[in-house]
Amino acid sequence: MSDRQPAPGTPDQPDAQGAAAAPRKRTRKASKANPGGSSNDLRADVLRAIAVLKIATPHQLWRLLRPNALENKFARAALNDLEKKRITVKHGTGKDGRDIWGMTTAGRDAAKALFPDGRDMGGIARKAGTSSAAGHALAVSEAIISFVAGGTGPNVDPKGIHGDRTAPGVGPGFGRIEQWATEIEHLTPHKPTVRADAVLRAPDHGVPVLLVEVDLDNESNPILAKKLDDYRGYFDHRHPLPNPHSRGTIGYLEWKKTEPHWRRTYPDTGRPGYPPVAIVLGHLGERALPQRVKALTAMTRRHWQGRHLGDGYYDRSEAIPILFTSLELLIERGPLSPIWRRAGRPGPLQPLHDALDDHDGPEAYAKHQAALHAQQQADQEAAERRRQERELLATACPGCHRTADKYKNPRYASDGDRLCHFCQQKADQAAQTEAARQIAAAAEAHAQRVQIAENASFLRTVFGPRKPKEAQEKKR
């Protein structure tokens, strides 16, 4: 870097008179190749986003790529520079008057360098701005941006991208735009092809795969249910694994191992069941949304319910987790806020990961059964303790009330009717003492009677016999 200082009065070094003035806004110098003045990194970010979304407006790119910028001028500049290179193309304007941009075939080929090798880039959405599918495609882009950027919050400024993001219930986003893909075809031999509006693969955020369907109330419930039927056909299809045995051997003839067809495309979900499907419904009021969710839940019951295990628990190893929300809630609050309703699960709305988790599956059922078994065993042990206590109380000695477990020698214990050995000894000793006392008292009484008789005999000898009472009265 040169040590030369710019001369005073130049834009880089204001003179003393302009020292107090506000600093001049620095802008990137435009070039003939990039008249908009966009940088290489910015053009790469815009091209990466357009390659995933297929179509988007500068307003959407503003929210996705530079949410802290003051306006979307940077996105328009990058799109114009890419258009000059014939990488992007303007498809027209939407109902809100904003330009709709897409990419050309050359742009799709150029975008391949921004993604890992082998990634399917899909189509280029020809004439999307003038077709009836523009609203749907922009809604899919809006849903993906909401997943990545999070909720806008309520009361969004029409000229801005954010509202009150500190409001209760507004959450952040997760993942990166390159973890998304749109318009993905799922081919199954001899079965209808099902095309997903968007697919998320974010294993680092606990979502190995999520299929997203967006509907702006332009498809009837039977059509959406039919699409779930096609998903079920894709998930149920299995193909044989390579046979490791030699032809003509018994092992070759008995080889029947297969694997799910969808595992060739997607990894294991980490949860019971097939890859989850999130249905985002738009343009519905507060009363129409729950009614439609209820109708779709009933029409797709056989896909999400699974096999009943008992006590309200289900085995959903061959079921499709189906989630519902509205596009408006997703935009305002973000995917990690409680905005999701899982099919067949009552209660309040849940955040995305809670809605994906299987709270009443085989693992929960096993814990429930273990808890029931532990409770039954505890009840049996308590009943056994009460029985033993009753039996012990029945052996209480009538004298000292001690039970049989209080004696080292069980022969000394009581049977509940007779006294224990020690109480019996005391009772026998007391009886012997009482008998001796009674004998002594009887002997003493007899001795007293003998003494009285001897005294009476002595008196008769001295004074003579006693006269009767009547003779004494006559003598008087």
Side-chain angles (χ1 to χ4, degrees):
M1 179 179 296
S2 175
D3 295 333
R4 183 179 62 85
Q5 298 295 331
T10 62
D12 294 330
Q13 183 68 27
D15 54 15
Q17 295 179 355
R24 183 175 179 179
K25 183 178 180 180
R26 301 184 62 181
T27 58
R28 179 176 294 276
K29 185 178 180 180
S31 63
K32 292 183 179 180
N34 301 302
S38 61
S39 64
N40 293 335
D41 292 340
L42 177 59
R43 291 194 300 275
D45 291 342
V46 170
L47 180 57
R48 185 183 296 107
I50 292 293
V52 173
L53 301 175
K54 300 299 186 292
I55 64 171
T57 65
H59 201 77
Q60 291 177 326
L61 295 175
W62 177 16
R63 182 182 169 209
L64 174 66
L65 300 177
R66 303 291 190 273
N68 295 325
L70 298 178
E71 55 183 357
N72 62 8
K73 183 178 179 180
F74 75 92
R76 290 186 280 110
L79 289 170
N80 289 326
D81 289 344
L82 291 172
E83 184 183 28
K84 184 176 178 60
K85 303 175 186 296
R86 297 183 179 180
I87 291 178
T88 60
V89 60
K90 186 185 297 185
H91 287 307
T93 57
K95 293 182 179 180
D96 55 0
R98 293 167 179 161
D99 294 336
I100 300 176
W101 289 81
M103 64 179 179
T104 62
T105 303
R108 179 184 60 184
D109 296 338
K112 290 182 179 180
L114 303 176
F115 294 90
D117 295 337
R119 173 167 174 138
D120 183 10
M121 302 305 299
I124 59 174
R126 299 178 184 275
K127 299 181 180 180
T130 59
S131 66
S132 59
H136 176 264
L138 288 175
V140 173
S141 299
E142 197 67 41
I144 295 175
I145 293 171
S146 298
F147 267 90
V148 177
T152 61
N155 304 321
V156 180
D157 184 358
K159 296 182 180 180
I161 56 174
H162 292 147
D164 184 8
R165 302 194 71 182
T166 62
V170 179
F174 69 94
R176 304 179 302 278
I177 187 63
E178 57 267 25
Q179 293 177 320
W180 284 87
T182 54
E183 298 298 321
I184 301 300
E185 290 186 344
H186 300 87
L187 304 176
T188 308
H190 312 295
K191 292 183 181 180
T193 299
V194 57
R195 183 191 297 268
D197 289 338
V199 178
L200 169 64
R201 302 190 197 182
D204 52 334
H205 293 279
V207 187
V209 57
L210 178 66
L211 310 177
V212 179
E213 295 291 332
V214 179
D215 178 66
L216 299 181
D217 201 23
N218 50 11
E219 292 183 348
S220 63
N221 291 340
I223 292 178
L224 279 178
K226 175 61 171 57
K227 195 164 189 178
L228 268 298
D229 294 341
D230 296 340
Y231 271 121
R232 183 60 182 257
Y234 171 73
F235 292 142
D236 284 343
H237 183 74
R238 303 181 69 89
H239 62 83
L241 291 172
N243 197 326
H245 304 281
S246 303
R247 288 181 176 273
T249 62
I250 296 178
Y252 183 86
L253 298 176
E254 292 180 349
W255 181 260
K256 297 180 181 179
K257 292 186 178 181
T258 61
E259 69 174 354
H261 179 67
W262 63 270
R263 288 298 304 275
R264 289 186 170 184
T265 305
Y266 299 116
D268 183 67
T269 63
R271 299 178 176 90
Y274 296 138
V277 178
I279 300 178
V280 182
L281 304 173
H283 296 175
L284 293 175
E286 295 182 359
R287 300 178 62 181
L289 178 63
Q291 293 176 358
R292 192 171 190 201
V293 170
K294 182 178 179 180
L296 289 172
T297 300
M299 296 176 69
T300 59
R301 179 179 298 274
R302 67 186 186 90
H303 299 317
W304 55 259
Q305 186 171 33
R307 181 173 59 88
H308 187 233
L309 299 174
D311 297 336
Y313 293 87
Y314 292 85
D315 178 10
R316 298 189 179 91
S317 58
E318 296 182 355
I320 305 175
I322 303 177
L323 279 61
F324 297 96
T325 191
S326 70
L327 181 60
E328 292 75 17
L329 279 177
L330 180 60
I331 294 174
E332 179 180 320
R333 301 185 183 180
L336 301 182
S337 297
I339 64 171
W340 300 96
R341 167 75 64 194
R342 178 159 175 170
R345 182 176 294 176
L349 299 178
Q350 296 179 302
L352 178 63
H353 293 86
D354 291 345
L356 290 174
D357 291 339
D358 197 19
H359 301 291
D360 54 357
E363 292 184 2
Y365 181 69
K367 294 181 180 178
H368 173 70
Q369 290 293 99
L372 285 180
H373 178 71
Q375 185 62 40
Q376 292 175 356
Q377 185 175 2
D379 293 343
Q380 292 176 357
E381 292 176 354
E384 179 65 19
R385 286 194 300 270
R386 289 193 296 270
R387 185 189 64 80
Q388 293 177 357
E389 290 175 358
R390 289 194 300 268
E391 291 180 354
L392 285 176
L393 290 176
T395 63
C397 174
C400 63
H401 306 291
R402 290 190 297 177
T403 55
D405 59 329
K406 305 298 182 182
Y407 297 87
K408 294 183 179 180
N409 192 339
R411 294 181 302 172
Y412 293 163
S414 171
D415 59 1
D417 296 330
R418 60 181 180 83
L419 296 173
C420 67
H421 173 74
F422 302 103
C423 289
Q424 188 63 46
Q425 283 183 340
K426 293 179 181 180
D428 293 343
Q429 185 176 1
Q432 293 176 1
T433 303
E434 180 64 21
R437 186 190 65 79
Q438 292 179 359
I439 293 173
E444 184 179 358
H446 178 71
Q448 291 177 355
R449 288 194 299 271
V450 171
Q451 184 65 35
I452 292 172
E454 290 179 352
N455 294 338
S457 178
F458 174 76
L459 292 175
R460 282 195 298 271
T461 304
V462 175
F463 299 102
R466 185 178 182 182
K467 294 180 180 180
K469 187 176 182 180
E470 294 83 359
Q472 294 179 0
E473 290 178 354
K474 289 180 179 181
K475 185 177 180 180
R476 291 178 180 175

